[in-house]
Amino acid sequence: MATKRREQDDQPAVRVGRSTIHGQGLFAAADIPADTLILVLDGRATDTDGEHVIWFHGESGMEGYEITNEARFVNHARKPNAVFYDEELWSLRPIRAGDEITHDYGEDWHDL
């Protein structure tokens, strides 16, 4: 897939590609410094679980969000290099160009 870049938000370039973790993954297309906003989720609120649904702790309990942009390809890792804060994905440490961007989906997720 082609490299994505959101110039208006000055977010780093990412690309979707084959993952050694699971299916497709999200990768840094250029070096990403620590504490950098990688991207903002696009999508819609949902009450139904699905392949590209992420769950957040909300005011009324767990709230689902069906992701429709490239953020849906962020795979799980116990030692991630990024974290979702609500609808934003931030780097936890420097991520080198070509590295897969990962997030810890929690204890209920299979251990990788």
Side-chain angles (χ1 to χ4, degrees):
M1 294 187 113
T3 296
K4 309 265 186 183
R5 182 170 182 84
R6 296 178 178 215
E7 296 291 339
Q8 72 274 16
D9 296 331
D10 198 30
Q11 295 173 352
V14 295
R15 67 175 178 80
V16 175
R18 184 171 307 277
S19 170
T20 58
I21 296 172
H22 175 77
Q24 298 289 338
L26 187 68
F27 295 84
D31 290 345
I32 300 173
D35 302 317
T36 298
L37 175 62
I38 298 171
L39 52 76
V40 177
L41 301 181
D42 287 336
R44 60 191 158 275
T46 182
D47 293 329
T48 306
D49 201 9
E51 184 177 7
H52 300 296
V53 174
I54 189 169
W55 294 90
F56 298 105
H57 292 282
E59 292 178 15
S60 60
M62 296 303 287
E63 298 175 0
Y65 196 81
E66 184 176 8
I67 305 169
T68 58
N69 67 346
E70 60 272 14
R72 70 185 181 271
F73 296 106
V74 174
N75 282 317
H76 165 79
R78 283 286 175 215
K79 295 180 181 176
N81 55 18
V83 64
F84 284 106
Y85 292 116
D86 295 319
E87 297 173 3
E88 298 177 340
L89 181 65
W90 287 82
S91 60
L92 292 170
R93 60 180 180 271
I95 302 172
R96 295 185 321 188
D99 285 353
E100 185 165 359
I101 299 168
T102 58
H103 168 76
D104 185 347
Y105 282 100
E107 293 180 17
D108 291 337
W109 199 257
H110 52 50
D111 195 10
L112 294 175

